[in-house]
Each structure stands twice: as structure tokens, then as C-alpha cells.
Amino acid sequence: MSRQFRYIQNDDVLRTFREFKDTLLSERSVVIARQGDYILQLEKLSGNNMGLKIINNERSSIVSSRTYDITNTTEALVARGVRHACQKLSELSDEKVNRRRMQIWKWYIMEWQQHNADQSGELFAKELTWNEERSDNEEEVLDIEAFLHGDYLNLGNTLSLIDKYLTDETQKERFRKFAIEDIMEMTSEDTRDRSIAEAEEASREDGIKIHTYQFTVSVEATDKEHARAALLNYLAGDERIKVQK
């Protein structure tokens, strides 16, 4: 699943709007959260009205919108609305990822059926039943999950499959872009986990060693200085941690 990026904290949205409504927000809207192809946008409407919009950036279409009169609302109400909007953002993005990923997996199943017609009945019987006593070492006709996962992560195979089953160039380009991003994200997680396991194994074999580690940290804040101050406060007092100021 794609990660969500937050640029303004929930509790800071109303304060940010009031601060910039006559300057920056008079000229353009501002993205305050992003996940996949969806963004949450803050904008100034007429008078004292503040707008929040969820937009499908890929299609340039508005999914939902909400308006607040800043003279008749509170920071708590706006913060709750932003939190719900970000949850919706996550649900929409995950739904799209699952839908497109499953469609590609269906094409893989169709391909397998065409080349293994004589085993289809046995395959379906296996997938439609459950045997609690079956040994993990018992040979199977096909572990469908392992088959799909392994073939799907082969980027060349997946892109060829998309080219085969889609004729509309717009849809083909969207699926190609999705598959590349999804597979790159999934394989980067696999590589990271494998690297961690290898490092732990090497540590056990060679004895304990002290290393320097660097981490990427996400901090919700209204600006860079706010984020730096929050991070320094959180890490203060631990001499092992060096923060670049």
C-alpha cells in the first residue's frame, strides 16, 4: 500500500488558513496531504469560507468536498474533519491499489488456465477445500498465492501481460504506471527485510559490533523549523543520537 504524506497537522489547519487566507491562499490552493493518486486540498472560498477537497489527481476530478465558515467553527471541529478526510484518502488509495492489483492477478490466472487446462479441475478443488491435517511438505498442484506473487513481481512479465490484455492506450498507460510503482514498492520492502535479516545473521557470527545508523523520519509540522524543533525535543538527552541542525 502506498504511504500517506502529511504536510500540515490536523490541529494546525484552521490556524494556517487564518494566517494565509489573505496572502498565499488568495492566489492558490494548498495540498495538505497526499496518498497515491489522491490529494487533500485546502482552499479559500468566498468570504470567510474555508474548503477541503479530496481530489483524484490522476483524473483531475473532485471526489468529495467540505466547507467551513471560520467564524462559526473551532480548531477541534476542523481537526476532526481533516482527520476523517485523511482516513478517506487512505481508503480510496488502498481500494484502487487492491482493485488494479487484483485485475492483473486475474489475467495471470487466465494465462495459467490456458496453459494448464488439464490441471484446472484439481486446482479449483484444492482452492475450494481446506484440509487442516495436510502437511506443509505435501506436494501441491499449485500454490496459487505463491504463483501470483512471484510472477506479479516480475516486472517484465507483468508489463507484457498488461500490453496483451489492454487495447485502450489510456488504460494501458495507467496500468503500466501503477504496476511499476506497486512492484517497486513491494520489492523494496522485500529487499529491506532481507538486508536486515542478513545483517542480524552476520552480527551473530562475528560478535557484537557498534555501527552508526541513519533513519528517515517523518514529522508532522506546519513548517521545517517546527518539524526540527519537535524532533530535537523528542530526541533530547540521548547522547548516542546526533542530529544535524
Side-chain angles (χ1 to χ4, degrees):
M1 305 298 176
S2 58
R3 292 179 297 169
Q4 185 172 110
F5 297 93
R6 303 285 294 276
Y7 306 113
I8 301 179
Q9 291 180 336
N10 298 343
D11 295 338
D12 291 334
V13 170
L14 182 57
R15 184 164 56 253
T16 300
F17 178 82
R18 284 173 172 156
E19 182 178 352
F20 294 103
K21 68 183 182 70
D22 296 323
T23 53
L24 175 63
L25 289 169
S26 293
E27 301 173 2
R28 63 179 178 86
S29 58
V30 174
V31 175
I32 62 176
R34 180 189 304 273
Q35 184 163 354
D37 292 327
Y38 294 90
I39 60 173
L40 179 59
Q41 185 172 276
L42 173 68
E43 62 182 3
K44 179 182 178 180
L45 305 175
S46 59
N48 288 315
N49 289 328
M50 179 187 79
L52 288 175
K53 285 183 179 177
I54 295 178
I55 297 175
N56 183 325
N57 213 31
E58 180 186 49
R59 300 176 181 273
S60 299
S61 60
I62 299 173
V63 177
S64 64
S65 61
R66 186 167 183 176
T67 303
Y68 295 88
D69 181 347
I70 65 170
T71 62
N72 294 316
T73 191
T74 64
E75 289 186 356
L77 287 174
V78 172
R80 184 170 64 184
V82 174
R83 183 173 66 254
H84 291 166
C86 287
Q87 290 172 348
K88 182 66 174 177
L89 208 67
S90 180
E91 292 170 2
L92 289 168
S93 181
D94 289 350
E95 180 183 351
K96 196 200 83 166
V97 168
N98 287 333
R99 187 170 63 248
R100 290 191 176 179
R101 187 184 290 166
M102 185 58 66
Q103 181 58 59
I104 296 173
W105 283 25
K106 288 178 182 178
W107 291 333
Y108 267 116
I109 292 175
M110 291 169 61
E111 286 287 295
W112 187 90
Q113 286 180 303
Q114 290 176 9
H115 294 93
N116 299 273
D118 57 326
Q119 297 185 61
S120 294
E122 195 172 350
L123 166 67
F124 293 142
K126 169 187 173 294
E127 292 298 324
L128 293 174
T129 58
W130 176 257
N131 182 358
E132 192 72 37
E133 303 303 322
R134 185 170 56 203
S135 169
D136 291 338
N137 297 323
E138 183 179 336
E139 290 188 2
E140 303 289 355
V141 176
L142 173 70
D143 185 336
I144 196 70
E145 291 83 3
F147 169 78
L148 291 174
H149 187 71
D151 277 48
Y152 178 70
L153 293 182
N154 186 316
L155 185 57
N157 288 351
T158 296
L159 293 181
S160 296
L161 206 64
I162 291 170
D163 288 339
K164 176 178 180 179
Y165 282 96
L166 287 177
T167 56
D168 182 274
E169 289 301 323
T170 300
Q171 290 182 345
K172 185 181 294 186
E173 186 58 32
R174 285 175 178 166
F175 265 84
R176 287 176 64 87
K177 178 176 179 290
F178 162 77
I180 292 171
E181 293 176 350
D182 191 43
I183 291 171
M184 291 297 289
E185 182 175 347
M186 293 176 71
T187 52
S188 67
E189 291 177 356
D190 289 343
T191 301
R192 180 198 61 198
D193 293 342
R194 187 162 56 250
S195 297
I196 292 173
E198 291 173 353
E200 290 176 345
E201 180 63 25
S203 177
R204 284 193 294 269
E205 292 176 355
D206 301 337
I208 298 175
K209 296 181 180 179
I210 301 298
H211 302 278
T212 299
Y213 297 91
Q214 291 183 326
F215 299 91
T216 299
V217 180
S218 298
V219 181
E220 291 185 353
T222 54
D223 53 47
K224 188 181 292 184
E225 291 304 319
H226 184 183
R228 183 179 290 109
L231 187 59
L232 287 171
N233 288 335
Y234 181 76
L235 298 177
D238 194 328
E239 296 179 353
R240 296 171 300 171
I241 300 173
K242 308 296 182 184
V243 179
Q244 183 178 355
K245 299 182 179 180

